Amino acid sequence: MSAVSDQLATFAILVYLVAMISHAVEYALGNVRAVAARVAPARELVGAGVGAASGTGVGAAGGTDGPAGGDAARAGSISTPLPTRRSRSAGRARLAGRIAAWLTVLAAALHLGALVTRGIAADRMPWGNMYEFVLTVTWIGTAAWLVVLWKRPSLRRLGLFLTLVMVLLLAFAELKLYVPVVPLMPALQSYWFIIHVSTIVFSSGIFLLGVVPAVSFLLRSGYEQGRRSFPYTLARRLPGAADLERLTFALHAFAFPIFTFAVIAGAIWAEAAWGRAWGWDPKETWAFISWVVYAGYLHARATPSVKRNVATWIAVLGFLTVLMNLFGVNFFFTGLHSYAGVE
């Protein structure tokens, strides 16, 4: 089962990569609404321009059956290839986007298969080390994204950045964090392992998804304010800044109470295992820092005097503290939570 899990994880990364490429194709070609918005005014301007140039319109010529009307019809027909090309481009973009979405579903299924077979091979929940933790967090993020995509298809272009994050994190996990399946260490053999770690994993996966629209909002907001330099030009075809900001808030508002419960559950587990609820262990400290930063984001978001850009930067900072807690603490610090499993 361990070998099957490894193969499924590899296939999942490859499918995520192909999905990312498909999203990139859709992003490069533009979307249907953007093209249609350009085509319709073009048709109106062509029709108006022909009428003005001929000195007649439908009313002046008494209809389109006369010579002027015929000229207008013929002139109008000359402009049809451009909208046709744009329509074809829009069709290709829509097809690429749909392929990307279905590939993401396939990748998520392979990803889930890797987790399930890993758990069966280990005879436990697959959360015992950094590799398994990253594997689970990224799947939660993908599953949450598919739910968002199902409810809000107009946000599909965010899939490019979501799949990019998944490819990078999973590739890093496979190359740097991978460890063979091993039994759970005695310190983790408790029912609190499922309660505490499952809620940490779930909230971290939502925070992972939440940082994608957060960064996208900062780029799109700058683009809408007239900034046309890199990296703001990356946001040219993203959804509107207001939609991205609302999604950012919704995801963080959903994840924060779960994360709060996870921290409390960890303290209760620590009391039962070590005889103290809180000892300022490096991982405990950074979990507290993450909690404070995310609480600060929600408070700033609810304060009318705080600009949305400022509040969103706090959310991005919160995810950086999550990354520090996951990678930095495990690599550079030692403590009671040193369960990275990386040599």
Side-chain angles (χ1 to χ4, degrees):
M1 278 296 185
S2 178
V4 173
S5 175
D6 297 343
Q7 291 174 354
L8 288 174
T10 301
F11 288 142
I13 295 173
L14 293 175
V15 177
Y16 277 126
L17 179 60
V18 178
M20 183 188 72
I21 295 172
S22 297
H23 273 302
V25 171
E26 179 191 27
Y27 201 80
L29 294 176
N31 73 339
V32 178
R33 290 183 180 179
V35 173
R38 291 193 298 266
V39 170
R43 287 175 174 168
E44 293 174 1
L45 287 174
V46 167
V50 169
S54 63
T56 61
V58 173
T64 58
D65 294 333
D71 292 341
R74 287 190 295 273
S77 65
I78 296 175
S79 67
T80 55
L82 182 58
T84 299
R85 288 195 297 271
R86 286 176 171 173
S87 299
R88 289 175 181 172
S89 178
R92 295 190 188 101
R94 181 169 54 184
L95 177 61
R98 289 177 175 175
I99 291 173
W102 283 110
L103 284 173
T104 305
V105 172
L106 175 59
L110 294 170
H111 197 159
L112 179 60
L115 280 172
V116 171
T117 51
R118 177 92 178 183
I120 293 174
D123 195 25
R124 56 171 173 78
M125 301 303 291
W127 310 324
N129 49 62
M130 280 183 68
Y131 171 74
E132 295 172 355
F133 191 90
V134 172
L135 204 64
T136 308
V137 167
T138 48
W139 183 81
I140 293 294
T142 302
W145 162 245
L146 292 176
V147 173
V148 171
L149 185 60
W150 176 61
K151 290 180 174 292
R152 298 284 303 277
S154 61
L155 298 173
R156 188 173 63 197
R157 281 166 289 170
L158 281 179
L160 171 61
F161 303 98
L162 186 280
T163 50
L164 173 62
V165 170
M166 295 305 161
V167 169
L168 292 177
L169 285 177
L170 287 172
F172 180 78
E174 289 291 332
L175 295 174
K176 297 296 183 182
L177 305 179
Y178 178 81
V179 292
V181 174
V182 294
L184 198 64
M185 62 175 56
L188 297 180
Q189 294 177 2
S190 167
Y191 62 89
W192 282 106
F193 170 71
I194 297 178
I195 297 173
H196 170 61
V197 181
S198 65
T199 48
I200 282 288
V201 164
F202 188 82
S203 56
S204 297
I206 304 300
F207 285 144
L208 169 62
L209 174 59
V211 78
V212 174
V215 174
S216 300
F217 162 73
L218 294 172
L219 295 176
R220 180 66 186 182
S221 177
Y223 184 83
E224 290 181 359
Q225 292 171 7
R227 300 176 184 177
R228 295 296 184 265
S229 59
F230 183 85
Y232 298 103
T233 50
L234 294 175
R236 184 165 61 95
R237 287 180 175 144
L238 285 175
D243 290 337
L244 294 171
E245 198 281 329
R246 282 192 294 268
L247 177 61
T248 300
F249 171 70
L251 291 170
H252 286 83
F254 175 70
F256 182 73
I258 302 173
F259 182 69
T260 301
F261 173 80
V263 173
I264 295 172
I268 296 173
W269 187 12
E271 176 68 31
W274 302 320
R276 86 317 180 263
W278 198 268
W280 297 106
D281 182 79
K283 194 165 280 288
E284 294 172 352
T285 302
W286 277 97
F288 176 71
I289 292 172
S290 297
W291 187 90
V292 170
V293 174
Y294 280 122
Y297 161 69
L298 294 177
H299 177 71
R301 175 59 169 71
T303 304
S305 60
V306 179
K307 294 181 179 180
R308 296 294 165 85
N309 287 43
V310 175
T312 306
W313 273 114
I314 299 175
V316 174
L317 177 62
F319 186 70
L320 293 178
T321 65
V322 170
L323 291 179
M324 178 62 190
N325 199 8
L326 175 59
F327 297 113
V329 170
N330 284 319
F331 282 127
F332 303 116
F333 297 93
T334 57
L336 295 173
H337 291 80
S338 298
Y339 306 136
V342 180
E343 298 180 356

